[in-house]
Amino acid sequence: MAGCPGVTAGYLILADRPCLIETGTSTSTPTVRKALSALGIGPDDLATVVVTHIHLDHAGGVGDIAAAYPSAEIVVHERGARHLADPSRLLASARMVWGDKLDTLFGTLRPTEASRIRALGETGTIDLGFGRHLSCYYTPGHAKHHVGLLDSLTGDLYVGDAAGVYLPETGDLRPATPPPDFDLDAALKSIDLFRSLQPERVLFTHYGPVEDVQPILERAAEELRIWVDLTKQAKAEGLDLDHAVAMVREKTKQRYKTTEGDPTLQGLETLTGAEANVAGIMHWLDRTQQG
């Protein structure tokens, strides 16, 4: 993403009906197309494109990928479907957050024909051919338009951002709690749902697969609770956002093995750093009048 490797993953399921999970950003589209071609997927071969949610690091390339693979059905939760057909409001909101960085980080989400979009509800199924399928589950908490996906053949569980951000180099797991949708109760319920599905692996969009399923999901819930408790403490002390971020960053830094100079960490800090996490938790606390 934006020239930084190891930050955002897309996953290709090479089934009878090939399926791409996550497109990455618009600026990553050439990289994704090159990878698909190397794996034998031509313009008419991709059956389905599904995104776990419509944040631009996951779905910013949907319009470009849809145009390049005209046979593919585009699948997204129903709360995000209209924004893929008409991205104007989503892009305007993103522009307010990112300013000029939007163009270099994410590019432009281009519209997808509404007739090609399939909207998911609480659950759904994506046909991968020969009886194999993805089961789709509504998993809010990080975003109101988030789904998790379980492969019926492999037991692979694609969790998007609902279980946080994983750094394979160190095994660190950090929460992803951005405004405006973060909701602790919903997020913990989504992680409980993931546990109940008993997957074989957990596949993070940021970044990569993890085989120690139950420990990583337990850590996901633990990280959420710790960050929320610390942010509540900062709020109770009357700290403004900048000082709350500094306090939470200081009190959590010993939990992670990464160093400040790590380029992957810097890329992830851009997407879902301490400032975004604390701001999202503060917004949730204000909305629910907690803390």
Side-chain angles (χ1 to χ4, degrees):
M1 195 195 86
C4 186
V7 173
T8 295
Y11 294 98
L12 176 67
I13 300 178
L14 272 172
D16 182 60
R17 291 175 48 81
C19 176
L20 175 66
I21 299 174
E22 315 284 50
T23 66
T25 65
S26 175
T27 54
S28 296
T29 298
T31 302
V32 174
R33 291 187 64 183
K34 183 178 179 181
L36 291 176
S37 178
L39 291 165
I41 301 298
D44 295 319
D45 296 327
L46 197 60
T48 310
V49 175
V50 56
V51 291
T52 59
H53 59 301
I54 63 168
H55 289 167
L56 295 178
D57 50 319
H58 297 253
V62 165
D64 297 305
I65 294 294
Y69 300 89
S71 300
E73 180 180 54
I74 311 302
V75 183
V76 63
H77 187 261
E78 59 190 3
R79 292 194 174 200
R82 64 188 176 96
H83 295 291
L84 297 187
D86 179 5
S88 56
R89 287 183 61 188
L90 178 62
L91 287 171
S93 176
R95 178 75 64 182
M96 290 177 64
V97 174
W98 296 100
D100 292 340
K101 289 182 179 179
L102 182 70
D103 300 316
T104 53
L105 285 175
F106 304 111
T108 299
L109 171 59
R110 293 175 174 82
T112 299
E113 295 176 22
S115 61
R116 294 183 60 190
I117 299 172
R118 176 155 69 96
L120 298 167
E122 288 287 325
T123 58
T125 302
I126 295 170
D127 180 18
L128 300 175
F130 292 112
R132 183 180 181 182
H133 62 273
L134 286 175
S135 295
C136 310
Y137 301 90
Y138 182 45
T139 49
H142 171 81
K144 292 179 180 178
H145 40 78
H146 197 291
V147 296
L149 309 157
L150 183 68
D151 188 327
S152 65
L153 178 65
T154 64
D156 284 340
L157 178 65
Y158 301 87
V159 294
D161 285 352
V165 170
Y166 174 73
L167 282 77
E169 295 85 359
T170 63
D172 284 334
L173 183 69
R174 294 153 56 98
T177 62
D181 288 352
F182 172 68
D183 183 298
L184 177 63
D185 299 327
L188 291 174
K189 286 179 182 177
S190 292
I191 293 170
D192 285 342
L193 172 60
F194 289 154
R195 284 200 197 99
S196 73
L197 296 174
Q198 298 186 314
E200 294 295 320
R201 294 193 300 175
V202 173
L203 289 87
F204 290 86
T205 304
H206 318 293
Y207 179 81
V210 177
E211 295 185 356
D212 293 330
V213 170
Q214 295 304 325
I216 202 69
L217 293 178
E218 289 170 9
R219 174 93 187 260
E222 179 186 17
E223 293 295 327
L224 283 172
R225 293 189 180 99
I226 287 171
W227 279 66
V228 166
D229 286 346
L230 289 172
T231 304
K232 279 184 179 180
Q233 179 184 335
K235 190 171 187 291
E237 293 175 6
L239 300 184
D240 62 18
L241 179 60
D242 288 344
H243 288 89
V245 169
M247 189 201 86
V248 174
R249 184 180 277 129
E250 177 65 25
K251 288 182 177 291
T252 57
K253 69 180 183 180
Q254 297 302 321
R255 298 186 61 77
Y256 312 118
K257 303 182 187 73
T258 48
T259 62
E260 290 301 318
D262 186 301
T264 301
L265 176 60
Q266 290 173 351
L268 290 169
E269 276 285 347
T270 301
L271 282 178
T272 179
E275 184 171 352
N277 280 347
V278 173
I281 296 168
M282 286 280 200
H283 183 73
W284 172 72
L285 291 172
D286 290 339
R287 192 172 72 243
T288 59
Q289 295 183 333
Q290 299 196 41

